[in-house]
């Protein structure tokens, strides 16, 4: 996925100007191209969950890695605005963070809200929430192992002012679909693969 993502990012910002990289967790579809990003972004900082820094060091080419403490915190961006690391442990990785932009009112929620869409049903933003749930259900039941962790994440996220939920796979939730998703996720029984 690296070439098309770099091409898309380059339409908005020069990759050489990127100063901070964030890995919500250590999965290959999140951060296995870290060395390639570091090659393009120069001396950028890398933030990943603290307990995963020793894993990510295997593919960071020796670049220093900032460990995000379990309780979360703030990504300082200096002149523009700070972003918030929202703890999302066990939804799904055992160390995981969502990232909140308080100015744009956007929550980047990683694998939470992910949908496995058939190629012919691709859309950028969810248009029919009820129809969309069938592409999310199996994924969330299998990949979110803990009801308690799920409830904790929903409680944290419900306290934020969110206009757009942006999962890593599938489609984005906008407007009233944000609350719809949180309710759907709250009602879903997860961790049911055994
Ligand atoms: Fe993942
Ligand atoms: Fe993923």
């Amino acid at each position: 996925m690296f070439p098309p993502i770099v091409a898309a990012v380059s339409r908005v910002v020069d990759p050489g100007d990127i100063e901070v990289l964030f890995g919500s967790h250590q999965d290959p579809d999140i951060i296995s191209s870290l060395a390639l990003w570091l090659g393009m972004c120069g001396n950028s900082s890398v933030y990943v969950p603290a307990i995963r820094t020793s894993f990510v060091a295997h593919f960071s080419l020796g670049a220093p890695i900032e460990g995000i403490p379990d309780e979360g915190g703030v990504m300082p961006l200096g002149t523009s605005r700070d972003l918030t690391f929202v703890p999302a442990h066990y939804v799904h990785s055992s160390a995981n963070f969502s990232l909140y932009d308080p100015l744009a009112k956007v929550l980047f929620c990683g694998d939470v809200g992910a949908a496995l869409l058939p190629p012919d049903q691709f859309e950028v933003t969810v248009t029919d929430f009820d129809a969309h749930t069938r592409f999310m259900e199996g994924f969330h039941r299998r990949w979110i192992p803990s009801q308690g962790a799920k409830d904790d994440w929903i409680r944290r996220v419900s306290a934020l002012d969110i206009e757009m939920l942006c999962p890593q796979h599938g489609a984005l939730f906008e407007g009233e679909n944000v609350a719809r998703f949180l309710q759907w996720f709250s009602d879903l029984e997860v961790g049911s693969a055994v």
Side-chain angles (χ1 to χ4, degrees):
M1 292 301 293
F2 183 71
I5 292 177
V6 169
V9 168
S10 298
R11 288 198 287 272
V12 183
V13 62
D14 180 344
D17 290 340
I18 294 175
E19 296 177 3
V20 183
L21 300 169
F22 164 66
S24 59
H25 59 294
Q26 73 295 330
D27 276 355
D29 62 333
I30 297 284
I31 201 168
S32 61
S33 56
L34 177 61
L36 298 171
W37 283 106
L38 286 166
M40 293 193 78
C41 304
N43 295 321
S44 48
S45 312
V46 182
Y47 285 86
V48 300
I51 69 168
R52 293 297 190 183
T53 54
S54 59
F55 290 70
V56 174
H58 286 274
F59 41 84
S60 67
L61 300 178
I65 299 172
E66 305 276 351
I68 310 166
D70 272 348
E71 63 272 23
V74 165
M75 177 196 284
L77 293 185
T79 53
S80 49
R81 73 268 214 177
D82 296 334
L83 306 184
T84 306
F85 299 118
V86 180
H89 310 309
Y90 297 103
V91 284
H92 67 96
S93 175
S94 52
N96 187 45
F97 290 93
S98 302
L99 189 67
Y100 178 60
D101 181 334
L103 196 58
K105 299 181 180 174
V106 165
L107 185 76
F108 299 95
C109 46
D111 283 311
V112 179
L116 305 176
L117 296 175
D120 62 338
Q121 303 209 28
F122 173 78
E123 56 184 4
V124 175
T125 303
V126 174
T127 52
D128 182 340
F129 183 84
D130 291 333
H132 190 74
T133 59
R134 71 191 152 111
F135 301 119
M136 300 194 287
E137 190 173 325
F139 179 89
H140 286 74
R141 284 191 194 280
R142 181 63 195 254
W143 286 93
I144 312 290
S146 161
Q147 290 285 136
K150 181 193 76 168
D151 293 342
D152 180 75
W153 184 85
I154 292 171
R155 182 182 57 76
R156 291 176 187 274
V157 165
S158 297
L160 304 173
D161 185 7
I162 297 172
E163 289 182 358
M164 192 181 281
L165 268 182
C166 301
Q168 181 206 355
H169 313 279
L172 314 181
F173 301 91
E174 223 176 356
E176 57 191 24
N177 279 343
V178 173
R180 273 198 195 119
F181 173 77
L182 294 177
Q183 187 61 53
W184 173 85
F185 194 30
S186 178
D187 293 341
L188 186 72
E189 184 190 348
V190 298
S192 52
V194 292

